[in-house]
Amino acid sequence: MDPLLAVADATQAPRDPTTGPPPVLEDREGRLYAIGDIHLSYKVNREELEKLHPRQDDGLILCGDVGETPEHLREAFKQATSCFHRVWWTPGNHELYTLPKQKEHGARGEKKYEECVEVAREFGVLTPEDDFVLWEGEGGPCLIAPIFTLYDYSFRPAHVPLEGALDWAKEEHIEATDEHLLHPDPYKSRIEWCEHLVNRTEHKLSAAVAANPGVKLVLVGHWPLREDLVRLDRIPRFSLWCGTKKTENWHIKYNAKVVVSGHLHIRRTDWRDDTRFEECSLGYPRQWQDCKDQGMDINDMLREILPGPVTPPPDLRQTVWRRYG
């Protein structure tokens, strides 16, 4: 079983970032927020989304796992764009699912991703297929860089060979639903798709850094970039589906000020090499019920990315386990 499972019944070519400066948001003194894993297959989470407060000068990042269907995406994008000046989205594994009822006619793999991108464009939401935008609000200037990388089962102990990785996880009764619903078409495997995505993303990030010397990036993805940020005490072998070691040094290589992710349903802040890492999941209702019991709602669960918290001195940069945003 998948311990994180929620129960759920490109036509525009991006501009080559080497040909000129990136688009700039209108001059606003807003803040940038993020939230991921809002899982709109749950009625409670859908009701919470409706409570989102207007922040017309601010930006919002939705870092994956909005839901499993185009309807989930439309619901999220409609509400988010009505409340925020600019919205970014990057896919999680749940957006890429082809549900059993869609087995015969539903989009699969890369086509499912492209379907999601088209829905985002209906609402003007920026995706990994669009230009990186220069944020000049509080905490800027920074390039906001949504990315899509997937995973390749490399987040595993050294003694576990790739060919035995799935059996190793099954020994603890762990098997992600991705193995049944996230198809790699047209690639032979999710590993091959991941390799393609990583290579493609590296090219785009390298071009952006070269074209914007000295400008920091905010890297926005669903899966954690680093294995050492994946701590799942109750289900450690779920790490197989949590990222790829190929992105381990991207925060240095691509001059990242902040790296934003979700997927783990464990809110935390970490520092590596002067870069702040923010895990921004909301999660399933039971996983944030204690916050609701204290009178909090979705607005309290938003994480401020820019300007964000004050940078602590190096000797005090320990993991901060965040109860809420």
Side-chain angles (χ1 to χ4, degrees):
M1 63 175 289
D2 179 351
L4 298 181
L5 175 65
V7 178
D9 202 3
T11 59
Q12 176 183 344
R15 176 187 58 82
D16 183 346
T18 64
T19 61
V24 180
L25 290 178
E26 291 88 337
D27 184 19
R28 302 203 179 194
E29 295 300 322
R31 294 172 179 253
L32 180 64
Y33 294 88
I35 192 167
D37 303 76
I38 61 176
H39 291 289
L40 295 186
S41 54
Y42 284 94
K43 182 174 182 289
V44 169
N45 284 11
R46 292 197 301 273
E47 292 172 345
E48 281 298 319
L49 181 66
E50 295 175 0
K51 300 177 185 178
L52 203 60
H53 293 162
R55 300 169 184 257
Q56 297 297 338
D57 289 334
D58 297 335
L60 179 67
I61 292 164
L62 296 169
C63 51
D65 278 9
V66 165
E68 294 80 13
T69 68
E71 290 72 26
H72 290 150
L73 288 174
R74 287 189 176 95
E75 187 173 357
F77 295 158
K78 180 180 179 181
Q79 182 69 4
T81 55
S82 71
C83 292
F84 287 83
H85 174 54
R86 176 65 78 186
V87 178
W88 288 262
W89 165 83
T90 190
N93 48 313
H94 280 250
E95 280 96 339
L96 303 175
Y97 284 175
T98 304
L99 300 177
K101 64 182 180 181
Q102 303 167 326
K103 183 177 180 180
E104 298 300 324
H105 305 290
R108 293 165 58 102
E110 192 170 67
K111 291 295 184 183
K112 180 64 188 291
Y113 169 59
E114 292 171 355
E115 180 181 87
C116 294
V117 170
E118 290 306 311
V119 174
R121 286 179 173 161
E122 291 175 20
F123 295 87
V125 171
L126 296 174
T127 78
E129 302 309 305
D130 295 303
D131 297 336
F132 297 157
V133 169
L134 186 65
W135 172 270
E136 294 202 290
E138 294 194 44
C142 289
L143 280 179
I144 311 302
I147 61 175
F148 172 29
T149 55
L150 208 55
Y151 53 82
D152 61 4
Y153 308 103
S154 58
F155 284 5
R156 66 183 193 275
H159 71 275
V160 177
L162 175 59
E163 59 271 20
L166 293 178
D167 288 337
W168 170 74
K170 289 178 181 178
E171 290 174 0
E172 297 293 333
H173 309 290
I174 302 296
E175 182 182 31
T177 302
D178 296 17
E179 296 300 315
H180 305 280
L181 300 183
L182 201 170
H183 305 288
D185 310 38
Y187 303 94
K188 294 180 180 178
S189 66
R190 283 176 289 276
I191 294 175
E192 185 178 296
W193 191 8
C194 175
E195 182 177 11
H196 167 78
L197 290 168
V198 167
N199 291 339
R200 180 172 176 261
T201 304
E202 284 197 302
H203 175 77
K204 185 174 182 180
L205 289 171
S206 295
V209 169
N212 301 275
V215 176
K216 291 283 190 178
L217 270 65
V218 175
L219 296 180
V220 177
H222 180 67
W223 291 272
L225 291 190
R226 294 177 57 89
E227 186 179 13
D228 63 1
L229 299 179
V230 178
R231 177 176 168 181
L232 301 167
D233 291 342
R234 295 182 180 180
I235 48 169
R237 299 189 186 193
F238 192 77
S239 63
L240 288 182
W241 296 274
C242 291
T244 170
K245 291 182 178 179
K246 293 178 180 178
T247 61
E248 181 92 0
N249 72 337
W250 279 16
H251 65 293
I252 299 173
K253 187 175 181 181
Y254 301 118
N255 197 26
K257 182 173 184 175
V258 190
V259 176
V260 180
S261 66
H263 191 58
L264 303 182
H265 296 198
I266 302 173
R267 292 175 290 279
R268 58 185 286 180
T269 300
D270 293 274
W271 295 87
R272 296 290 187 276
D273 307 298
D274 295 325
T275 299
R276 175 164 45 96
F277 288 76
E278 300 280 14
E279 207 283 357
C280 301
S281 301
L282 177 67
Y284 306 143
R286 67 183 181 272
Q287 294 174 319
W288 66 286
Q289 183 62 47
D290 63 328
C291 297
K292 287 178 65 66
D293 291 343
Q294 296 296 318
M296 300 176 191
D297 64 16
I298 192 170
N299 297 286
D300 299 297
M301 308 306 289
L302 300 180
R303 181 58 175 168
E304 183 180 295
I305 302 303
L306 294 175
V310 175
T311 303
D315 58 334
L316 296 179
R317 294 178 188 174
Q318 300 177 345
T319 297
V320 177
W321 305 98
R322 301 195 322 274
R323 184 180 182 187
Y324 50 96

